[in-house]
Structures are given as C-alpha cells and as structure tokens.
Amino acid sequence: MTTVRYEVGDMIFAAEDILNDGGMPGIAEEEGLIAAAGTRGVVVHFGVAEMDESKEIYLVQFENGPDGTLGHPVGVLPEELTQEEPVAS
C-alpha cells in the first residue's frame, strides 16, 4: 500500500452508488443498494485487499436513516469515495 487517502474517523461521501457484491448481510438483493451516491459516512478502518495487496480497502459506515444512524461497516474502494460534499439540487 503506497498511500492512505483517508484516515480512521474521516467523514466521506459515496462518490457513486455502492452496491452489494453478494457479501453484505441484511441486503436482500445480490446487487442491492447499500449507499446512494452522496451518502455521508465515516471511515472506521482501512487495509488492503486480500487477493491484491496493492489495492486499498476502506471499511466505512454509511448513514442509513434520517436520524443519522450508521449502518454496518462496508468494504469500499478509494475511487468509490470522496470528501467533497454533494451539492444540493
């Protein structure tokens, strides 16, 4: 792993829709939506992919309700995240 883009505790946003790859418990559909683009979350851990240690993986808890409750941790690639707050339309 060459650089760490996000640290534990950093607030981030989903840069794109985060979909279940089949490994997320509690999501009924295999390709079900975990977090819509723009959803706020927090980095809770980071590491590297088991199959390719050159790839960073961030464990993120996204908000999943109007009260700001955080959902289960989800493994996310750095290109699926941003720290730029979405612009309200």
Side-chain angles (χ1 to χ4, degrees):
M1 184 164 57
T2 57
T3 61
V4 175
R5 298 179 202 186
Y6 306 107
E7 298 288 339
V8 172
D10 282 354
M11 184 174 65
I12 52 78
F13 299 90
E16 57 190 58
D17 287 348
I18 308 296
L19 302 175
N20 187 14
D21 64 1
M24 182 70 184
I27 305 290
E29 301 172 40
E30 185 173 324
E31 291 292 318
L33 182 66
I34 294 172
T39 301
R40 185 168 57 176
V42 63
V43 175
V44 295
H45 196 62
F46 62 88
V48 295
E50 188 173 312
M51 300 297 272
D52 182 353
E53 292 186 7
S54 69
K55 290 190 177 188
E56 302 169 51
I57 299 287
Y58 292 88
L59 200 57
V60 176
Q61 286 184 276
F62 289 102
E63 291 181 348
N64 65 1
D67 62 353
T69 303
L70 296 175
H72 295 289
V74 179
V76 185
L77 298 171
E79 57 268 19
E80 297 174 308
L81 302 173
T82 183
Q83 286 187 306
E84 293 183 29
E85 192 165 352
V87 177
S89 50

